[in-house]
Amino acid sequence: MKKEITVTINGEKHTATVEPRTLLVHLIREHLRLTGTHIGCDTSNCGACTILVNGKSIKSCTMLAIQADGKEIITVEGLATTEGLHPIQEGFKENHGLHCGYCTPGMMMRAVELLADNPNPTEEEIRWGISGNLCRCTGYNNIVKAIQYAGAKMRGETLPSTEPEFV
Amino acid sequence: MIQCKTSKEIGGMGHSIKRKEDARFIQGKGHYVDDIQLPGMLHMDIVRSPYAYAKIKSINAEAALKIPGVIAVVTGKDLEKYNLHWMPTLMSDTQMVLPTDTVMYQAQEVAAVIATDRYAARDGKEAVMVEYEPMKPVIDPHKSLDPNAPVLRTDKPGKTDNHIWHWEVGDKEATEKVFAGADVVVKEQMHIPRIHVASIETCGCVADYDKVNNHLTMYMTTQAPHAIRTVIALVAGHVGLTEEKVRVISPDIGGGFGGKVPVYPGYVIAIAVSFLVGKPVKWVEDRSENLQADSFARDYHITAEMAGTKDGKILATRFKVLADHGYTDASANPSKFPTGLFSIGTGSYDYGTAFMEADAVYTNKPPGGVAYRCSFRVTEAVHAIERMTDRFAFEVGKDPAQLRMENFIKKDQFPWKSPTGWEYDSGDYHAGLQKAMDAIDYDGLRKEQAEKRKRGELMGIGISTFTEIVGAGPSKDFDILGIKMFDSAEIRVHPTGKAIARFGTKSQGQGHETTYAQIIAEELGIPAEHIQIEEGDTDTAPYGLGTYASRSTPTAGAAAAVAARKLRDKARKIAAYLLEVSEEDLEWEPGKFSVKGAPEKSKTIQEIVFAAYTNHPQGMEAGFEATHYYDPPNLTFPSGAYICVVDLDKETGEIKVRRFVAIDDCGHIINPMIVQGQVHGGLTQGLAPAMYESLIYDEDGNILNGTFMDYLVPTAVESPSWETGHTVTPSPHHPIGAKGVGESPTVGAPPAIVNAIVDALSHLGVTHIDIPVTPFKVWKILKEKGVA
């Protein structure tokens, strides 16, 4: 009944034997022990489990592990390199784009694809673009700022101020 | 502009330094309960009741036990053998861990399946056969006290009805007198509906009992690890789990908002099973279980009345509450406060007469009564007073901003004794509202509204000027299960002048690792970046009551400052010794003591600390550490002035929050970036119940929106771009003048939004709409009034 699959995660090839019903998120979290990808719901609404599969942001609770056979996966653990943080990570840190950190990995993975599709999004495009990811802590203002910051960094532009406008 | 006393390098109070904790979270290196995997760990899943009220005829686990990987099915009868089938609640009521004969709400735990992996446990759960005999439930709290309503708590000997308690505060007769003689009396019925905190991480635990050492390590999603450990020891001491044999670890928590204060049956079952089988047991609920069974918040039915003069002076208020507690009172309140701090409901206004009363009833709904980012029922109180203030302004024909300005307690009236017995520490309500009005151009908006109204367009402006009450609390009145609600800090400075500090609180995203370091940096001049903060491990942290109700800064934050000041006193002695002068000849500036009049003669805090380990004066205790347990002399009273502008679509009832300005006053600000972040988040959690969220039950007690498909947590699209600012009125009794802020916006935002929507419709004779105010509710009103 179990099936052997091979996936490339964050550049490394992994072979695993899974039940056909095993969810991709469980493969990632429990078989491969990459626990940065989180689970926040059971109806594909919250987006805490968002990862990139062949460059597309996917809610990994809604995909079977066997469907990922042969695919290239990037999780939050694959964002930073030896050179340093990914611009989206820097954006979240510099702009206070996270509180409890639970939605953050999924939110960042979604933002990576958003910026790949639309390198200079408007605030409204960002808000709609992350509307499949729920955050309960931040009220989203600073997540929007974090994504704008990452966009500017990736475009090589002057970085927006990270001082809070709290006067 | 916030003035900082320390340099940016030291990073004390007022600096927007970036959060220390973020480095791990942005790399996916946070460590939450579900990330824990221990060797031999078993998984637990829970069979839940499909009925709101039913007799359990039988539980058949035969098929479940045949599933590969399933090793046990635990029922209430099993726990009964160890007298573990019931547990006490925080409000001295009792709650089933697992039922032996009757289920009292839909989604109640019925049996637990233990298996070698998550999937087998779920298979086992599906295979457990339970035979029920459904009974007619009591769902509507208004019918709960009917003489013919079934008595739900038959487990309580002599109980003849569904009444839990009656509570009252204020002067009933004086209030009646004022109401009888008042020019104007306004009255509204309002329901503050049942909602759910829905932190993105659900609740869960890993109970790891080591039989050989007779030791339990309990990793759990708890906001109050010390209290949990004490409770475990009190309940399980007789089987050998005395307090030193129990270690509770609260790792990173993915949002709490009060929902991770209570003890849920799942935790207790996991401990019991681990104790019996000697292996670690993991239980993590899924989202639907979390929404359907874990603690609700609110659910107050309020009859609110205000009396005043015809020219707009508030004279008295009277609130009567019917509180739906579900089948047991499991509220997370301080013991002496069955309605929490609802009695703050006289608000920011200068009047001397009020009466409030509440009756709590049992129904066949899940138990709870937690905060949802609120200090013990303050949100309900603020909704009532802020709605009624608008209602009264409308009745007497006054602008609601003007009426508020005329009724505010003035800043020189503090400390102010409220008619319900509180002593407000400080406030400047006029300044806050004026700042909000200037920021949003209030007068311009009123002109725009008048013009739009002429054209038949619907636009509304809503104000909320609330007073919060946080920082529970002074030991005279505040305890949980008898444990006083102080909190603690322990600072240990290493020989090279870097420090570790530990606290009895537990961050769930509030940024304690950064802000506590800033408080200590402010007091000692050690750079915040060199101060490591730890919380959440009962083996290492000093005792405290945890983080909820915006209490961390008022209690543990104060403890940090006082402990640091003890160290500064010691530093002064060492500096005097090193500089060979008397202590009085020294003066302090952040980071060093120098000799008065000879500033070149000085010792840095780092030199002083090194001397504490290498060259301390004879007779002085070596080392450099201090602990303080802070018992606050009073609560703190943050405040805010919020103004919301809405546009309503006449044809569809759609509500657009066009602008929302929030001016908060939380006293001295530790980190403006973090305070602003807390305000943003709290505002979205205020928008949520105002427009989107409520847990809905049908007459049979079925929950109609128990998943994230239909329980509407706002996304970035619904959430407007918040505009924030502050005023600073320090708390006179708090060591650093801070007050707490995390919940203010959730408390203050809903009435601002509802007041705006009602304001947009007020010319049609609309005086109140219950939250959540949905487009459908607005559309129905517009249809009735012949507008849509």
Side-chain angles (χ1 to χ4, degrees):
Chain A
M1 183 85 171
K2 286 194 175 179
K3 190 175 182 311
E4 190 178 279
I5 59 167
T6 302
V7 290
T8 304
I9 299 196
N10 304 329
E12 262 181 53
K13 253 194 169 76
H14 291 273
T15 300
T17 308
V18 296
E19 287 186 60
R21 63 174 176 170
T22 303
L23 298 177
L24 180 56
V25 69
H26 288 141
L27 173 79
I28 292 168
R29 285 180 51 80
E30 296 188 358
H31 295 243
L32 304 175
R33 302 296 297 129
L34 293 168
T35 54
T37 301
H38 299 146
I39 299 172
C41 75
D42 44 9
T43 49
S44 302
N45 289 88
C46 82
C49 64
T50 305
I51 57 168
L52 297 182
V53 177
N54 288 356
K56 289 281 163 204
S57 57
I58 297 287
K59 291 177 178 176
S60 61
C61 72
T62 311
M63 189 167 176
L64 297 169
I66 53 172
Q67 290 175 294
D69 193 13
K71 302 238 165 42
E72 296 260 352
I73 291 171
I74 309 278
T75 67
V76 64
E77 289 91 347
L79 285 179
T81 64
T82 48
E83 308 294 305
L85 295 175
H86 186 283
I88 196 70
Q89 291 173 305
E90 191 181 311
F92 271 72
K93 179 163 171 42
E94 293 300 311
N95 292 281
H96 190 25
L98 62 148
H99 293 189
C100 79
Y102 200 79
C103 77
T104 312
M107 197 66 86
M108 291 193 303
M109 299 316 289
R110 171 60 203 137
V112 168
E113 195 209 354
L114 173 69
L115 289 172
D117 288 350
N118 181 357
N120 195 2
T122 62
E123 175 173 343
E124 203 188 351
E125 285 168 340
I126 292 173
R127 287 182 177 273
W128 280 102
I130 58 169
S131 63
N133 292 67
L134 296 176
C135 169
R136 198 57 158 165
C137 298
T138 66
Y140 303 104
N141 268 40
N142 288 345
I143 292 180
V144 172
K145 270 179 80 180
I147 297 171
Q148 287 168 332
Y149 176 102
K153 175 129 189 169
M154 289 160 86
R155 296 191 302 273
E157 292 170 10
T158 316
L159 296 175
S161 162
T162 63
E163 279 300 303
E165 294 152 22
F166 188 59
V167 288
Chain B
M1 198 60 199
I2 294 164
Q3 301 293 325
C4 301
K5 287 192 205 146
T6 58
S7 64
K8 211 167 176 174
E9 289 64 45
I10 291 175
M13 285 183 53
H15 290 289
S16 285
I17 62 173
K18 307 301 178 194
R19 295 202 327 169
K20 292 150 72 84
E21 43 272 81
D22 288 357
R24 65 177 183 278
F25 292 134
I26 56 171
Q27 296 182 82
K29 290 178 181 170
H31 190 56
Y32 303 90
V33 162
D34 200 15
D35 299 341
I36 295 166
Q37 257 190 31
L38 301 177
M41 188 174 78
L42 301 173
H43 291 259
M44 183 171 98
D45 211 330
I46 291 178
V47 179
R48 291 175 186 275
S49 170
Y51 297 105
Y53 191 33
K55 289 267 176 231
I56 298 172
K57 305 261 286 183
S58 66
I59 299 176
N60 184 342
E62 214 176 298
L65 289 167
K66 284 186 184 147
I67 290 169
V70 173
I71 62 163
V73 174
V74 179
T75 66
K77 299 258 190 228
D78 298 321
L79 295 183
E80 192 177 15
K81 292 175 205 154
Y82 305 92
N83 199 25
L84 275 175
H85 55 313
W86 285 87
M87 62 179 180
T89 71
L90 292 177
M91 295 312 287
S92 305
D93 206 331
T94 52
Q95 180 174 0
M96 288 180 225
V97 177
L98 285 174
T100 50
D101 50 29
T102 311
V103 285
M104 301 296 285
Y105 62 94
Q106 191 183 57
Q108 185 182 337
E109 299 81 356
V110 172
V113 177
I114 317 298
T116 50
D117 75 76
R118 198 185 280 271
Y119 284 63
R122 183 54 61 100
D123 287 343
K125 165 180 170 157
E126 300 301 327
V128 172
M129 304 297 289
V130 186
E131 199 184 341
Y132 298 94
E133 184 183 311
M135 297 183 282
K136 184 70 189 159
V138 177
I139 301 303
D140 182 349
H142 295 99
K143 294 181 183 160
S144 170
L145 297 178
D146 285 356
N148 59 351
V151 177
L152 297 179
R153 294 300 299 272
T154 51
D155 58 291
K156 288 175 179 277
K159 189 82 185 140
T160 56
D161 60 21
N162 295 317
H163 190 257
I164 310 176
W165 43 254
H166 174 81
W167 165 92
E168 55 183 59
V169 69
D171 189 331
K172 188 175 186 177
E173 276 174 35
T175 306
E176 276 167 8
K177 219 170 143 189
V178 174
F179 268 83
D183 306 340
V184 182
V185 171
V186 286
K187 181 175 182 177
E188 293 289 348
Q189 305 284 341
M190 52 186 81
H191 182 211
I192 316 295
R194 191 171 265 249
I195 52 177
H196 200 286
V197 300
S199 52
I200 304 299
E201 179 199 37
T202 60
C203 297
C205 67
V206 178
D208 181 16
Y209 178 68
D210 175 346
K211 272 196 169 174
V212 177
N213 290 307
N214 182 32
H215 183 275
L216 173 73
T217 306
M218 181 69 175
Y219 305 88
M220 69 187 281
T221 49
T222 177
Q223 298 175 223
H226 285 283
I228 296 287
R229 183 185 58 169
T230 301
V231 170
I232 293 173
L234 289 174
V235 173
H238 68 285
V239 294
L241 281 178
T242 48
E243 200 158 3
E244 88 287 5
K245 302 277 190 205
V246 180
R247 180 182 188 186
V248 175
I249 296 177
S250 185
D252 286 327
I253 296 188
F257 314 116
K260 289 168 181 168
V261 172
V263 173
Y264 295 115
Y267 298 136
V268 181
I269 307 167
I271 292 173
V273 173
S274 183
F275 188 77
L276 292 175
V277 303
K279 285 188 174 182
V281 176
K282 180 189 271 190
W283 166 67
V284 176
E285 60 186 5
D286 65 29
R287 170 59 53 194
S288 303
E289 294 176 294
N290 172 261
L291 286 174
Q292 292 169 24
D294 282 4
S295 297
F296 70 91
R298 319 277 195 265
D299 219 351
Y300 265 24
H301 298 260
I302 306 173
T303 307
E305 294 174 278
M306 182 177 275
T309 66
K310 59 182 181 309
D311 51 357
K313 173 89 189 86
I314 301 171
L315 296 176
T317 47
R318 186 160 55 192
F319 297 162
K320 187 174 168 55
V321 176
L322 178 68
D324 182 350
H325 275 272
Y327 97 91
T328 180
D329 184 2
S331 294
N333 286 330
S335 304
K336 290 187 192 134
F337 298 84
T339 58
L341 306 181
F342 184 78
S343 56
I344 190 67
T346 57
S348 310
Y349 310 107
D350 175 12
Y351 63 96
T353 314
F355 179 67
M356 301 175 189
E357 61 183 322
D359 288 277
V361 296
Y362 292 126
T363 60
N364 289 108
K365 290 186 207 139
V370 299
Y372 190 108
R373 204 166 183 156
C374 153
S375 181
F376 313 122
R377 306 283 187 187
V378 177
T379 312
E380 291 90 322
V382 164
H383 203 78
I385 183 69
E386 287 305 302
R387 274 271 50 240
M388 292 316 290
T389 302
D390 255 44
R391 177 73 188 81
F392 176 54
F394 178 72
E395 196 70 21
V396 298
K398 255 202 179 154
D399 180 276
Q402 180 65 24
L403 183 125
R404 282 178 167 83
M405 288 290 198
E406 290 170 9
N407 281 281
F408 278 148
I409 302 158
K410 296 179 189 69
K411 70 175 174 186
D412 58 8
Q413 286 176 279
F414 292 91
W416 190 78
K417 267 270 192 213
S418 90
T420 52
W422 300 112
E423 187 179 287
Y424 295 12
D425 57 352
S426 64
D428 187 350
Y429 304 144
H430 292 89
L433 179 55
Q434 193 58 54
K435 188 165 179 177
M437 289 170 73
D438 293 345
I440 208 160
D441 183 19
Y442 186 77
D443 296 339
L445 286 170
R446 283 288 174 207
K447 278 190 202 118
E448 181 192 342
Q449 183 188 34
E451 284 159 19
K452 286 201 161 146
R453 207 165 264 185
K454 278 187 213 151
R455 298 201 297 268
E457 292 171 39
L458 301 173
M459 166 191 166
I461 305 150
I463 302 174
S464 163
T465 45
F466 61 91
T467 294
E468 251 268 61
I469 173 169
V470 305
S475 60
K476 184 165 72 69
D477 294 320
F478 287 85
D479 70 270
I480 286 182
L481 296 173
I483 304 167
K484 301 296 186 182
M485 293 182 73
F486 56 81
D487 223 296
S488 61
E490 174 199 281
I491 305 170
R492 184 181 302 174
V493 188
H494 312 308
T496 55
K498 322 295 184 202
I500 182 167
R502 296 188 170 108
F503 292 83
T505 49
K506 174 64 203 170
S507 179
Q508 310 119 42
Q510 293 89 337
H512 292 178
E513 288 169 50
T514 308
T515 48
Y516 285 157
Q518 288 184 263
I519 295 172
I520 297 168
E522 176 83 5
E523 299 294 336
L524 284 181
I526 296 172
E529 69 167 308
H530 292 307
I531 302 168
Q532 180 193 349
I533 303 298
E534 274 187 15
E535 302 175 293
D537 182 343
T538 57
D539 266 11
T540 56
Y543 204 99
L545 270 278
T547 293
Y548 41 85
S550 289
R551 69 185 297 277
S552 298
T553 293
T555 59
V562 176
R565 286 172 193 175
K566 289 180 187 173
L567 288 175
R568 204 166 66 202
D569 289 345
K570 180 167 186 172
R572 181 184 286 271
K573 288 189 170 63
I574 298 173
Y577 166 73
L578 295 174
L579 292 164
E580 298 177 335
V581 294
S582 78
E583 287 178 46
E584 297 75 49
D585 292 333
L586 292 172
E587 59 189 356
W588 169 256
E589 66 182 277
K592 68 176 174 186
F593 275 109
S594 51
V595 178
K596 284 177 192 165
E600 72 286 353
K601 287 184 73 181
S602 67
K603 288 289 171 191
T604 66
I605 186 75
Q606 287 80 10
E607 290 168 324
I608 294 166
V609 173
F610 195 67
Y613 290 89
T614 59
N615 178 27
H616 61 286
Q618 284 304 302
M620 178 188 272
E621 190 182 355
F624 206 75
E625 48 183 280
T627 303
H628 190 76
Y629 283 68
Y630 185 79
D631 182 2
N634 188 7
L635 295 136
T636 59
F637 296 78
S639 61
Y642 294 176
I643 305 182
C644 172
V645 188
V646 298
D647 296 299
L648 308 186
D649 185 311
K650 229 165 45 171
E651 303 305 324
T652 64
E654 192 191 345
I655 305 153
K656 180 155 178 54
V657 177
R658 188 205 308 173
R659 286 186 70 190
F660 195 110
V661 167
I663 304 298
D664 275 275
D665 194 328
C666 58
H668 280 314
I669 290 173
I670 302 164
N671 181 320
M673 178 191 80
I674 289 177
V675 168
Q676 186 197 39
Q678 289 291 311
V679 173
H680 288 154
L683 289 171
T684 294
Q685 272 189 303
L687 171 81
M691 288 176 58
Y692 300 100
E693 294 176 14
S694 73
L695 292 165
I696 306 165
Y697 290 84
D698 72 11
E699 60 187 16
D700 295 320
N702 297 306
I703 185 163
L704 302 183
N705 58 346
T707 77
F708 264 179
M709 301 269 273
D710 30 31
Y711 186 81
L712 302 178
V713 172
T715 73
V717 173
E718 287 79 46
S719 192
S721 185
W722 305 110
E723 300 169 60
T724 57
H726 69 271
T727 53
V728 175
T729 314
S731 169
H733 64 76
H734 188 275
I736 55 170
K739 289 188 171 184
V741 75
E743 298 158 342
S744 280
T746 302
V747 166
I753 295 167
V754 179
N755 285 346
I757 297 167
V758 170
D759 182 58
L761 300 167
S762 60
H763 60 296
L764 304 172
V766 175
T767 59
H768 178 72
I769 309 172
D770 265 341
I771 56 172
V773 186
T774 59
F776 184 57
K777 279 187 192 171
V778 172
W779 180 82
K780 273 200 298 190
I781 290 166
L782 294 170
K783 196 84 183 157
E784 263 168 39
K785 307 284 181 188
V787 178

